Amino acid sequence: MFAVRKIEVNTIKWHLKILLKSGDMRLKISLLKEPKHQELVSCVGWTTAEELYSCSDDHQIVKWNLLTSETSQIVKLPDDIYPIDLHWFPKSLGVKKQTQAESFVLTSSDGKFHLISKLGRVEKSVEAHCGAVLAGRWNYEGTALVTVGEDGQIKIWSKTGMLRSTLAQQGTPVYSVAWGPDSEKVLYTAGKQLIIKPLQPNAKVLQWKAHDGIILKVDWNSVNDLILSAGEDCKYKVWDSYGRPLYSSQPHEHPITSVAWAPDGELFAVGSFHTLRLCDKTGWSYALEKPNTGSVFNIAWSIDGTQIAGACGNRHVVFAHVVEQRWEWKNFQVTLTKRRTMQVRNVLNDAVDLLEFRDRVIKASLNYAHLVVSTSLQCYVFSTKNWNTPLIFDLKEGTVSLILQAERHFLLVDGGGIYLYSYEGRFISSPKFPGMRTDILNAQTVSLSNDTIAIKDKADEKIIFLFEASTGKPLGDGKLLSHKNEILEIALDQKGLTNDRKIAFIDKNRDLYITSVKRFGKEEQIVKLGTMVHTLAWNDTCNILCGLQDTRFTVWYYPNTVYVDRDILPKTLHERDASEFSKNPHIVSFVRNQVTIRRADGSLIHISISPYPAILHEYVSSSKWEDAVRLCRFVKEQTMWACLAAMAVANRDMTTAEIAYAAIGEIDKVQYINSIKDLPSKESKMAHILMFSGNIQEAEMVLLQAGLVYQAIQININLYNWERALELAVKYKTHVDTVLAYRQKFLETFGKQETNKRYLQYAEGLLIDWEKIKAKIEMEITKERERSSSSQPSKNFGLKH
């Protein structure tokens, strides 16, 4: 009892400390004393994570090297060229590390765009618009360029600068443009309106009023598919790709002049007069900085997403690093204090460790007693038991965009592929599939467990690819998991045997489904668990699932119940009101019996759920049925008994199932279980247990494989599957008269005449002799008893796995 109290006190102490020390992420600003440009800076763009180009109204293009802190003039443009927008040609997907972009497009006030090499040579200048070309953007593949101008035209150009089409024309200037994630659509501004126009002619155009003032900037992220807009109404807003509003900021003092997504879609930056803001993808603000910049006209994120650069109205280029990022797991809190330094705090004893890295930290993940950190060149793996000796290995490719952890291994995603490593640093596998785009994968579209990797396809969003973790090969017979609707989020359960591995997913209707990942031949059932589910998470120690459903927080203590006995699923749930979490909350983690939820305003809420279901899972996985029953009697909760009933049936332990069903008042099921006891053979028992769970075909198969043809026919008669009963009798040339007799009796009860052609055909000229039929049935039962008498019945009269 004392030990339990001590743990509770420590847990409370830990949460108090974490709440006191919250205040995630900020921007560390760097601004030179003297500007390098003579006039306002209009645009900036990164070539690598350490090199930036800036363009100014002084006609100069300046290169900034952040490693050496040197700047150099690349070229001085002709005096009639005033740069407005710059965009580097995209690097091809799957490139080697630190490959530099080689050329960029520069739009200018003279109605032209210029294709300029890295060395500053103007390769081509193209007359594009009447009046200034206000923005130019390459698509993700680098196969097309879109430009917009003061003349209200949106034009698509080839890679070499040849005009392909004028996509649209309107009466007002178009200030900003962005490609959709698939490069099939273009988003552009039209005064206070936003318009999404597909490249395909005659396709539906989406248009909506987005701001109360002219919209100055837009951005569309390829990973999260969300849209940013900024306007003269001094607000910035977040939209989904259907134009539905997800977030609107409070009005600022000045117009919002720039917005930009971080490459991984987790953060975005906002620029205004003397203002830089760092925000979460859901809109709330991490940090507000007030550097002396004038208006920030353009923001660019470095390729690794660790820093931003801003083009400033007062001739400066402002740099800002994202620091103070925080990761938490159990009693450990890790903070990125500087670019190359992390601080680890054990909140139970206040022990602090400092971790120094050779290169800047790009991504990190803390889970399952390990901290995995990727820098620009290496990967570090720390154990929470020893912070002094990390395991270090070199990275195969460039910037890591995602780290996922499971108990036994972790996954790295970068521009070149997906790589699975053990915590000892051993490379395990690298799954691949046709058309794989790793640049758009995130934690909602990739999931990892001890034996399985699941990836949601971008080309066809109704499909999930399943891979064996140990080999990287497709799972089972290689069949894809296919759903009827587009899938938004996927999550694999973390515990149990490979054969029982389940995947939960939310589709675009916000319905939650569960299915098995092992897919051999037969089509696995995809079963609906809930509706209006916005976010979900599996527990790290047992297969308990939690989710936020409309206005409720729901915990599925044993989701497998849907496969065993759907009737009692509602009794296995824990529900509570979720209105306190406000709009659009998100589940951050589900560790032990603690669920962490982030509200729309960025604050974290910790919810404790009952620890007893996890203990029950543990007992059942160890086949400690008596302990499980004892625990349920101690807790005295219907939820626990319902979970135990389903677990017992799933594991074919019908003695425990009988006790559990009796405890929740399911008397008809107790009687059915009792009737199974009296069955003569283990095959019959097995078949009836399968029938209990609704697996009729499997039950029939078990009986037929054991040669119990009559029993297979009888279960179909009992279920009124008349067609199948007759089909089996005819096929095996036995008990045709029995089936006809039962059919006749059934029709007589309801006063009906036979209309089924097959039954009429076989009944012709046949006289029903009930005495004879009963004798045949008795003989079948005796035969079955004799067959099974040699083998002793098991104590549980059920067959365990």
Side-chain angles (χ1 to χ4, degrees):
M1 189 69 192
F2 171 73
V4 171
R5 289 304 284 245
K6 189 176 174 187
I7 289 166
E8 281 174 5
V9 169
N10 277 338
T11 307
I12 292 163
K13 182 178 164 190
W14 162 41
H15 282 303
L16 280 173
K17 288 199 174 184
I18 282 182
L19 289 169
L20 289 170
K21 293 174 192 293
S22 63
D24 277 323
M25 253 188 281
R26 63 182 184 82
L27 289 171
K28 190 178 177 186
I29 301 286
S30 310
L31 203 57
L32 294 178
K33 281 183 183 166
E34 292 299 319
K36 295 291 177 184
H37 286 285
Q38 310 309 310
E39 297 287 341
L40 73 80
V41 183
S42 55
C43 47
V44 287
W46 298 85
T47 56
T48 68
E50 303 290 3
E51 187 180 85
L52 179 99
Y53 278 44
S54 62
C55 302
S56 161
D57 279 4
D58 62 8
H59 313 291
Q60 291 190 64
I61 298 178
V62 173
K63 179 167 82 172
W64 304 69
N65 187 320
L66 272 69
L67 287 175
T68 60
S69 301
E70 290 173 356
T71 56
S72 55
Q73 182 183 312
I74 293 296
V75 68
K76 188 170 189 308
L77 298 166
D79 287 349
D80 59 340
I81 294 180
Y82 288 88
I84 295 176
D85 193 21
L86 172 159
H87 194 214
W88 283 94
F89 187 79
K91 297 184 289 181
S92 60
L93 304 177
V95 291
K96 291 292 172 198
K97 53 189 152 197
Q98 296 299 328
T99 303
Q100 302 192 3
E102 293 303 322
S103 66
F104 60 92
V105 62
L106 185 75
T107 71
S108 59
S109 57
D110 59 355
K112 294 177 183 171
F113 67 82
H114 314 272
L115 301 178
I116 303 175
S117 77
K118 195 166 184 295
L119 301 170
R121 192 170 69 249
V122 179
E123 306 282 359
K124 193 170 188 180
S125 293
V126 179
E127 291 275 358
H129 293 266
C130 294
V133 185
L134 296 174
R137 283 283 172 269
W138 295 107
N139 69 359
Y140 291 100
E141 295 76 29
T143 53
L145 170 73
V146 62
T147 61
V148 295
E150 279 183 327
D151 58 3
Q153 293 195 337
I154 296 95
K155 294 185 176 182
I156 309 289
W157 308 80
S158 74
K159 186 178 171 179
T160 53
M162 304 295 288
L163 181 64
R164 282 195 188 152
S165 67
T166 299
L167 189 65
Q169 188 161 2
Q170 57 185 43
T172 54
V174 181
Y175 287 101
S176 189
V177 68
W179 287 94
D182 53 7
S183 297
E184 296 290 328
K185 301 184 190 86
V186 168
L187 163 75
Y188 58 91
T189 68
K192 300 172 186 180
Q193 308 268 324
L194 282 179
I195 299 172
I196 296 176
K197 187 167 169 68
L199 298 190
Q200 251 180 330
N202 305 324
K204 192 181 170 210
V205 176
L206 189 62
Q207 179 170 351
W208 71 97
K209 187 190 176 200
H211 286 261
D212 295 323
I214 287 172
I215 301 166
L216 300 175
K217 271 285 192 310
V218 292
D219 198 9
W220 194 345
N221 186 262
S222 64
V223 180
N224 62 31
D225 199 20
L226 298 180
I227 290 166
L228 284 174
S229 63
E232 285 189 347
D233 59 358
C234 307
K235 291 179 182 178
Y236 60 87
K237 299 187 181 187
V238 183
W239 312 85
D240 70 9
S241 55
Y242 300 99
R244 292 180 294 216
L246 301 179
Y247 182 84
S248 175
S249 74
Q250 292 299 315
H252 288 57
E253 289 176 48
H254 302 280
I256 309 292
T257 44
S258 51
V259 283
W261 281 110
D264 66 2
E266 291 300 313
L267 304 168
F268 65 86
V270 178
S272 182
F273 183 75
H274 287 338
T275 302
L276 262 184
R277 197 182 269 281
L278 179 68
C279 301
D280 182 77
K281 65 179 173 189
T282 53
W284 58 272
S285 181
Y286 276 111
L288 173 65
E289 301 293 338
K290 290 285 190 179
N292 184 18
T293 54
S295 287
V296 180
F297 290 116
N298 183 256
I299 290 174
W301 281 85
S302 63
I303 293 152
D304 59 14
T306 60
Q307 55 191 324
I308 58 174
C312 307
N314 67 352
R315 303 174 296 159
H316 275 284
V317 172
V318 64
F319 292 94
H321 278 102
V322 178
V323 291
E324 301 291 333
Q325 246 174 308
R326 187 162 292 151
W327 297 266
E328 289 166 6
W329 181 76
K330 293 191 176 174
N331 51 306
F332 291 100
Q333 191 181 58
V334 177
T335 309
L336 179 68
T337 51
K338 295 177 190 167
R339 297 177 71 188
R340 297 184 178 90
T341 311
M342 283 180 153
Q343 184 193 72
V344 181
R345 183 184 292 274
N346 182 339
V347 295
L348 292 183
N349 58 15
D350 262 346
V352 174
D353 289 275
L354 278 182
L355 313 178
E356 300 279 350
F357 301 93
R358 193 184 73 187
D359 308 294
R360 71 186 178 285
V361 172
I362 291 172
K363 282 276 174 210
S365 177
L366 175 63
N367 215 335
Y368 296 102
H370 288 90
L371 171 69
V372 181
V373 180
S374 75
T375 67
S376 45
L377 297 169
Q378 293 174 309
C379 182
Y380 294 71
V381 183
F382 297 86
S383 165
T384 55
K385 293 174 186 148
N386 178 8
W387 297 103
N388 301 321
T389 50
L391 191 135
I392 308 169
F393 60 89
D394 291 338
L395 290 168
K396 293 192 174 193
E397 301 281 344
T399 304
V400 170
S401 58
L402 179 67
I403 303 173
L404 287 181
Q405 289 177 259
E407 191 181 14
R408 290 184 199 154
H409 41 231
F410 65 94
L411 194 72
L412 298 180
V413 178
D414 66 19
I418 299 168
Y419 310 98
L420 189 68
Y421 291 92
S422 71
Y423 287 113
E424 291 74 49
R426 182 175 56 83
F427 172 72
I428 300 170
S429 67
S430 178
K432 290 180 176 64
F433 58 87
M436 180 169 84
R437 271 185 66 184
T438 55
D439 59 319
I440 53 176
L441 297 176
N442 63 10
Q444 281 73 49
T445 56
V446 187
S447 188
L448 176 68
S449 72
N450 283 337
D451 41 56
T452 311
I453 301 166
I455 303 167
K456 188 193 86 170
D457 187 21
K458 187 70 186 172
D460 182 351
E461 305 221 30
K462 297 174 182 176
I463 283 173
I464 299 171
F465 287 95
L466 299 165
F467 299 96
E468 216 171 86
S470 57
T471 62
K473 290 183 177 150
L475 201 65
D477 55 9
K479 230 180 190 179
L480 305 174
L481 197 163
S482 181
H483 185 53
K484 58 180 187 263
N485 292 320
E486 288 164 23
I487 296 164
L488 299 179
E489 187 173 346
I490 63 174
L492 288 160
D493 65 11
Q494 295 299 310
K495 286 292 183 180
L497 302 167
T498 310
N499 285 338
D500 298 331
R501 182 72 55 237
K502 298 285 187 289
I503 186 167
F505 61 86
I506 300 171
D507 71 9
K508 74 169 186 180
N509 295 334
R510 292 285 169 195
D511 290 333
L512 171 64
Y513 290 86
I514 189 169
T515 187
S516 175
V517 301
K518 278 284 183 187
R519 315 183 84 70
F520 281 104
K522 73 181 176 73
E523 195 57 47
E524 284 294 340
Q525 220 183 339
I526 298 176
V527 189
K528 190 192 280 194
L529 268 183
T531 56
M532 294 308 292
V533 181
H534 299 281
T535 172
L536 80 159
W538 286 98
N539 186 263
D540 64 332
T541 54
C542 57
N543 291 336
I544 296 176
L545 181 68
C546 72
L548 284 160
Q549 265 188 294
D550 210 11
T551 56
R552 301 187 313 286
F553 169 69
T554 307
V555 182
W556 288 266
Y557 283 132
Y558 187 55
N560 220 21
T561 308
V562 290
Y563 290 105
V564 180
D565 183 357
R566 190 159 191 137
D567 299 345
I568 63 166
L569 181 67
K571 293 182 180 177
T572 64
L573 305 183
H574 164 72
E575 292 186 312
R576 60 176 277 181
D577 181 48
S579 53
E580 62 181 292
F581 309 139
S582 71
K583 197 182 163 199
N584 292 335
H586 174 72
I587 297 171
V588 177
S589 65
F590 186 6
V591 178
R592 294 187 294 199
N593 65 324
Q594 200 79 35
V595 182
T596 305
I597 294 171
R598 197 180 282 282
R599 298 191 343 172
D601 62 2
S603 59
L604 288 174
I605 293 178
H606 301 285
I607 299 176
S608 289
I609 63 164
S610 167
Y612 296 121
I615 300 168
L616 185 65
H617 273 272
E618 204 178 306
Y619 283 153
V620 169
S621 63
S622 312
S623 297
K624 295 179 179 173
W625 296 102
E626 287 171 8
D627 289 346
V629 171
R630 211 173 291 125
L631 176 70
C632 291
R633 283 183 176 142
F634 168 72
V635 178
K636 297 187 183 73
E637 273 182 19
Q638 179 176 264
T639 315
M640 293 284 285
W641 282 116
C643 287
L644 181 60
M647 288 169 175
V649 174
N651 286 277
R652 318 273 187 255
D653 190 312
M654 303 313 280
T655 305
T656 307
E658 190 182 354
I659 297 165
Y661 274 115
I664 56 173
E666 299 275 346
I667 305 307
D668 54 334
K669 287 169 184 170
V670 174
Q671 286 173 338
Y672 185 73
I673 291 166
N674 264 318
S675 73
I676 299 175
K677 272 183 183 176
D678 302 327
L679 293 170
S681 69
K682 67 175 185 179
E683 288 87 4
S684 277
K685 287 172 186 170
M686 177 67 154
H688 280 78
I689 292 167
L690 286 166
M691 280 176 65
F692 186 93
S693 304
N695 300 318
I696 313 301
Q697 281 176 308
E698 281 181 53
E700 186 189 280
M701 206 184 298
V702 166
L703 292 169
L704 291 174
Q705 281 171 352
L708 301 172
V709 178
Y710 162 70
Q711 285 80 351
I713 293 168
Q714 189 63 52
I715 64 169
N716 281 293
I717 291 171
N718 293 346
L719 292 166
Y720 307 120
N721 290 343
W722 297 112
E723 290 276 357
R724 181 64 181 158
L726 185 60
E727 191 184 318
L728 288 172
V730 171
K731 183 180 176 182
Y732 290 96
K733 299 187 176 71
T734 180
H735 287 282
V736 176
D737 56 342
T738 309
V739 176
L740 292 168
Y742 276 106
R743 171 76 172 179
Q744 191 184 54
K745 194 175 175 185
F746 167 75
L747 291 171
E748 281 170 6
T749 308
F750 292 98
K752 300 270 184 187
Q753 288 295 314
E754 182 61 81
T755 54
N756 187 304
K757 284 180 182 172
R758 287 201 75 193
Y759 273 92
L760 287 169
Q761 179 193 335
Y762 285 101
E764 207 174 315
L766 188 76
L767 282 170
I768 303 296
D769 184 346
W770 273 105
E771 289 301 318
K772 197 173 160 188
I773 288 167
K774 279 176 186 171
K776 274 170 77 177
I777 292 170
E778 277 298 321
M779 208 164 79
E780 291 284 1
I781 294 167
T782 308
K783 224 171 13 179
E784 188 184 354
R785 277 207 182 93
E786 284 168 1
R787 276 186 54 182
S788 61
S789 60
S790 54
S791 61
Q792 282 294 311
S794 76
K795 187 173 73 174
N796 292 327
F797 73 88
L799 301 171
K800 291 192 190 177
H801 286 313

